Amino acid sequence: MKTIYLVVPCYNEEEVLPETVKRLMAKLQSLRERGMITADSRAILVDDGSKDKTWQLITQFHAEHPQDIDGLKLSRNEGHQNALFAGLMQAKEKRCDAAISLDADLQDDVDAIDRMIEAFEQGNDIVYGVRSARETDTFFKRSTARGFYRMMSMMGVELVYDHADYRLMSLRALEGLAEFREVNLFLRGIVLMIGYPSTTVTYERAKRFAGESKYPLKKMLAFATQGITSLSIKPIRMITTLGMLVFCVSLIVLIYCLVRYFTGHTVPGWTTTVASVWSIGGLQLLAIGIIGEYIGKIYLETKGRPKYLVQEWLHEDQL
Ligand code: UDP
Ligand code: MG
């Protein structure tokens, strides 16, 4: 039997929280009865600096069910990813066997938890919840989400398609995650870098049970930008490539200009002007790209990411 922690970030979720807690507790109860999790398993509700009654509710739930519900309050609104990370690290501190992160709005089907735990028991350290259909989404959300995944892969960010932040992570994976010291968190990208055996389970994503999405378009765009700039230096590489291209074109333009000059088809001054505009433009882009490469290196160094995580070590000391 394993001790499982459910980690739920909550931002202004007073409308949905009572129902969420009810369902999570029912789930914990049924898992305990079937001997799948220990009595010590519980849910951590992380209040991400909510402005409504979310924290009062969490306090109340904790008082009523101290064995089931833990509360963690952040000092201010730090965003979904940071709230999630805070909860996961708390679960790690408590030495749980695995933690499952899910949204407060009941969009992630709690019944997938059973299958996640089974997959975990079979030796997977990370189990990604992948949504099977997007029927419940609006056309807008569906197309922006698709565009998001396409753009991310173009920009060199590896992601699990249609996986949000509904996933199980073993203690070992959580410890791996803690080694990533970066401040700009994009969890679903970083989790892939942890490695270890992993698998996916599919689930149907429901509509938000109550309340409104905390991810308006503005936040979604910021989220995508965060994903690219915190995981990939491909945009910098693109500048270098562009610089090389323009520089090559400038050489062709130079030859063309010289031919025009020698065949006498030019007005005075044209050759030097056109040739220099192209070659200087190309050289500048190339130079920016090269500087960018170094900045990219500095950026990756400052993240202080682990160079490796050990999965197994076969070793025997001499007797
Ligand atoms: N959330 C959070 N901090 C924020 C924004 C959102 O902790 O600044 C939580 C929110 O309470 C929910 C989860 O992140 O549990 C996902 O948010 P939401 O359901 O609004 O996003 P959507 O499903 O619309 O993408
Ligand atoms: Mg939601």
Side-chain angles (χ1 to χ4, degrees):
M1 256 202 295
K2 297 290 197 293
T3 301
I4 306 286
Y5 272 53
L6 308 177
V7 176
V8 188
C10 311
Y11 177 57
N12 294 344
E13 299 285 10
E14 62 178 8
E15 282 169 78
V16 69
L17 214 50
E19 179 66 21
T20 307
V21 167
K22 209 166 86 191
R23 292 211 205 159
L24 290 182
M25 280 177 39
K27 186 87 241 168
L28 286 170
Q29 192 57 33
S30 107
L31 288 168
R32 281 189 198 123
E33 275 163 14
R34 280 177 288 149
M36 286 178 77
I37 59 171
T38 62
D40 210 25
S41 303
R42 63 193 64 206
I44 304 182
L45 305 180
V46 184
D47 175 22
D48 184 18
S50 299
K51 291 173 188 68
D52 64 0
K53 291 210 195 64
T54 299
W55 182 243
Q56 274 110 299
L57 285 173
I58 294 176
T59 318
Q60 184 196 328
F61 294 133
H62 172 70
E64 287 165 8
H65 313 279
Q67 301 299 321
D68 287 326
I69 307 291
D70 280 9
L72 183 70
K73 184 178 165 68
L74 303 189
S75 60
R76 57 191 279 263
N77 180 240
E78 299 287 5
H80 179 203
Q81 301 287 296
N82 292 316
L84 202 54
F85 187 75
L88 290 174
M89 289 303 107
Q90 210 62 24
K92 173 183 78 85
E93 291 303 313
K94 301 307 290 178
R95 314 296 301 167
C96 64
D97 290 307
I100 299 175
S101 49
L102 66 165
D103 287 354
D105 55 6
L106 296 170
Q107 282 192 287
D108 304 326
D109 176 16
V110 287
D111 290 328
I113 290 177
D114 304 43
R115 283 178 284 139
M116 285 185 170
I117 297 174
E118 274 161 26
F120 171 54
E121 295 276 4
Q122 282 159 15
N124 291 294
D125 284 85
I126 303 173
V127 187
Y128 298 97
V130 173
R131 40 198 304 182
S132 59
R134 278 189 176 270
E135 272 130 36
T136 54
D137 275 355
T138 57
F139 173 74
F140 175 72
K141 184 97 190 182
R142 213 163 36 217
S143 31
T144 47
R146 197 160 297 153
F148 169 79
Y149 286 102
R150 199 163 297 158
M151 185 170 79
M152 293 312 254
S153 85
M154 244 169 61
M155 289 293 172
V157 180
E158 205 192 328
L159 289 179
V160 177
Y161 191 76
D162 263 357
H163 159 68
D165 282 302
Y166 189 20
R167 79 178 84 79
L168 175 145
M169 292 175 78
S170 68
L171 181 60
R172 181 164 76 159
L174 291 173
E175 276 169 347
L177 179 64
E179 296 282 321
F180 287 76
R181 310 245 171 253
E182 49 209 272
V183 177
N184 291 298
L185 260 194
F186 189 75
L187 279 175
R188 48 188 99 161
I190 294 176
V191 171
L192 265 136
M193 293 182 192
I194 298 175
Y196 295 134
S198 67
T199 187
T200 57
V201 301
T202 50
Y203 70 99
E204 255 169 63
R205 194 157 153 105
K207 271 210 176 72
R208 195 173 231 287
F209 183 77
E212 274 169 15
S213 171
K214 311 295 182 287
Y215 268 104
L217 182 63
K218 203 174 123 204
K219 262 198 194 174
M220 266 197 277
L221 288 176
F223 186 66
T225 314
Q226 170 83 326
I228 297 165
T229 55
S230 74
L231 286 172
S232 169
I233 55 169
K234 201 157 173 184
I236 297 177
R237 294 260 153 82
M238 287 175 163
I239 298 177
T240 319
T241 316
L242 190 67
M244 280 183 197
L245 269 174
V246 174
F247 188 67
C248 288
V249 172
S250 83
L251 291 179
I252 298 166
V253 171
L254 187 67
I255 294 167
Y256 172 73
C257 288
L258 288 177
V259 170
R260 300 288 286 181
Y261 177 75
F262 285 117
T263 50
H265 287 93
T266 53
V267 286
W270 179 84
T271 319
T272 41
T273 313
V274 171
S276 51
V277 164
W278 275 88
S279 51
I280 289 178
L283 277 176
Q284 272 178 337
L285 269 179
L286 198 59
I288 293 172
I290 292 170
I291 295 170
E293 280 293 319
Y294 285 95
I295 293 178
K297 289 279 182 306
I298 296 171
Y299 150 91
L300 289 175
E301 289 290 341
T302 52
K303 282 182 177 292
R305 283 180 182 162
K307 286 191 205 51
Y308 58 85
L309 297 170
V310 175
Q311 184 165 322
E312 267 167 71
W313 189 35
L314 301 176
H315 169 84
E316 238 135 294
D317 278 315
Q318 302 275 314
L319 291 175

